[in-house]
Every structure is written in C-alpha cells, then in structure tokens.
Amino acid sequence: MTLTTREAAAASGFKPWKLSVAFGAKQDGTQLLLDFMKRAEAAGGHYVSDVRIVLASDQDGEPVECRTEIVPESSVETGRTLQSTPGRTEIRHHMVPVTKTVFESQFQCQSVTEPRTVSETYYESQYDPSSKTTRSVPRTRMVTRFEHRQKCGHVPMMRTVTRFEYQFRSEYIPPRLELVSRQYTRWSLKETLPTCAPHSPRTDDSPAMPHRVEGEVYGCSLEQAPDAGSATSVAEFGKAVSCKGYQLSPPQE
C-alpha cells in the first residue's frame, strides 16, 4: 500500500474509488491517517491519492467545512483555490494561525527492544557404550530473545502549539506526517493550508460525515464485487458498490 500522487496511482492501471472514514472530536491526525491507510489496504487497495482531512466548523455563526490535503511535497500546488460546484457559491475564508498552550495526548511511535521467551528444540549428542555409537537426541529448552518492533500509543503532554482556530475547537491534533511517510510512501508529505467553504445540510452528494478522512483508492477487483455486476469501476456503475465489505462511492471529479 502506497500513498502517492494521482498521476502515479493512475499509471498503475487500477480503477479508483473513494473511501471516506468519519471520526469524532478529540482525535489525533497521525492515528487517523494510519488507520485510513490500513482500511484502504484491507479493502484491497494498492495505491492511495488525493487524501483530505475535513473538519466541520463554523464561521461567523454559519456552518463550514474546512479541509486540508495530504500531498507528496513535490506535487503541492501553490495558490490552490477551491473548485466551484454548479449551483453553489464557495468562499475561501482567510485563516489565521493561533498559538495556545494545551494539555493533550499525542500519538507517537518509537522503536523498542523487548524480551520474548520462546521454546526451542536443540539436539544433544549422546554416546551409547553398548553399541559404541553416538546419536542425536532432541531436547527442549526455554530461551529469551530480544526483538525490535514499533510501539505506538498516546502520550499526554503540556505544550505550546500553533494551529488554526477550527482545529482547536474540535480538539484535533494535526498529523505528524513523517510517521505516515515512514510506513506508506517514499515521498515527503506535506499538509496544505486549510480552505473552508459553506456547508449546507445533507444532500444526496453531501455525506453525513461531519469530520472525515477521504481519498481515492486504486485497487480491488470491482468487477468481481457482488453488487457491481459487470461494472469495471464505481464511476461506470454509477452508485456505491461493495468491495470486501466496504461501501465504495464514485470518485469526486
């Protein structure tokens, strides 16, 4: 499973489908992204692109959705603007970072060495005086070995951070992208500046997921999905289909 650019993912030949994973308040972006990648892989994906983190908030009393994109650093576009949707006016709000001292639990991973006791079979030479022969006799013993592994968890800490106000309101912790890069891509990842747009009540094309991680997944045999019939992609089928137990939606244009 690799997080990459849209161009590299499309070159794989796999058809894309959209995966959206909802989450609540007080979440750590690092764990959200790692879990998102694991879900995509479990559903049969090979590549992921166009990953977005969307938080529901409000601006001057009006509901808005603020989103950032997780992109390979070389593909970051400067001066990115919101794409317009027919019939809806979208406004890019000016976001000003705010510095605060907070007490929170940060998701961290570190390499640790831990002892592990296992049963081991070895062979011992045994001499038989009567036959004047030597034979190997199996023996069992318990041995302790030290193994290296990644240990991840939440660490409470008091610190001063600079974020956007809408992130503070949801008690959301932005991801540490070096941890995601280490596991899922050869690229250096960067999170774009947020863009916020008015959010109307749920419609047919507006999912009931206030906070969510979403992205395009390339992989999974959609033509074999039980709900898809002979369709070769979700977009061609025109509605959600099932892929290894996951509901897939057509990718956003």
Side-chain angles (χ1 to χ4, degrees):
M1 169 57 68
T2 302
L3 196 163
T4 187
T5 63
R6 180 186 301 178
E7 293 74 19
S12 69
F14 291 111
K15 297 292 186 179
W17 51 273
K18 181 180 176 181
L19 175 63
S20 292
V21 179
F23 62 90
K26 300 183 180 181
Q27 297 295 315
D28 188 298
T30 305
Q31 186 170 19
L32 290 173
L33 286 176
L34 293 175
D35 289 346
F36 179 85
M37 296 297 293
K38 289 176 183 176
R39 285 186 180 225
E41 186 173 20
H46 293 274
Y47 299 94
V48 173
S49 72
D50 300 277
V51 176
R52 299 171 289 274
I53 299 176
V54 183
L55 292 179
S57 187
D58 63 84
Q59 186 81 17
D60 299 326
E62 296 295 327
V64 296
E65 280 191 343
C66 297
R67 67 180 59 204
T68 57
E69 298 184 24
I70 308 300
V71 293
E73 197 156 6
S74 64
S75 70
V76 176
E77 299 176 8
T78 58
R80 176 183 293 273
T81 58
L82 286 175
Q83 295 181 347
S84 61
T85 302
R88 185 174 71 176
T89 301
E90 293 187 334
I91 303 172
R92 179 172 181 167
H93 296 285
H94 180 59
M95 307 295 291
V96 179
V98 179
T99 299
K100 295 183 180 181
T101 299
V102 296
F103 180 79
E104 60 190 12
S105 293
Q106 184 185 57
F107 186 77
Q108 295 184 348
C109 294
Q110 58 181 343
S111 296
V112 297
T113 302
E114 295 183 338
R116 181 167 174 252
T117 302
V118 297
S119 175
E120 178 183 80
T121 299
Y122 69 100
Y123 291 87
E124 186 177 80
S125 296
Q126 190 176 77
Y127 179 72
D128 184 359
S130 60
S131 62
K132 297 182 179 181
T133 59
T134 301
R135 62 193 180 97
S136 294
V137 180
R139 305 289 188 192
T140 301
R141 63 187 174 191
M142 302 302 292
V143 296
T144 299
R145 294 174 179 157
F146 289 89
E147 298 183 347
H148 299 279
R149 70 181 186 90
Q150 280 282 104
K151 186 175 183 180
C152 299
H154 289 90
V155 180
M157 60 182 66
M158 177 79 74
R159 57 182 180 164
T160 299
V161 298
T162 300
R163 295 173 189 157
F164 295 97
E165 188 60 47
Y166 78 94
Q167 295 173 331
F168 282 119
R169 284 198 291 268
S170 297
E171 298 183 64
Y172 166 78
I173 303 174
R176 298 176 61 199
L177 295 177
E178 70 276 8
L179 298 181
V180 182
S181 297
R182 195 177 303 159
Q183 294 191 42
Y184 288 108
T185 186
R186 63 183 177 84
W187 302 88
S188 294
L189 298 176
K190 181 176 180 178
E191 185 171 21
T192 63
L193 291 173
T195 54
C196 299
H199 176 59
S200 57
R202 185 186 178 189
T203 61
D204 290 340
D205 62 349
S206 178
M209 296 183 180
H211 304 323
R212 61 192 184 274
V213 182
E214 56 189 26
E216 308 299 325
V217 182
Y218 293 73
C220 187
S221 299
L222 297 179
E223 64 274 9
Q224 298 177 4
D227 298 334
S230 60
T232 57
S233 74
V234 178
E236 291 171 8
F237 190 57
K239 65 178 182 180
V241 299
S242 175
C243 175
K244 293 189 179 181
Y246 290 82
Q247 285 301 115
L248 315 183
S249 301
Q252 299 296 309
E253 298 297 334

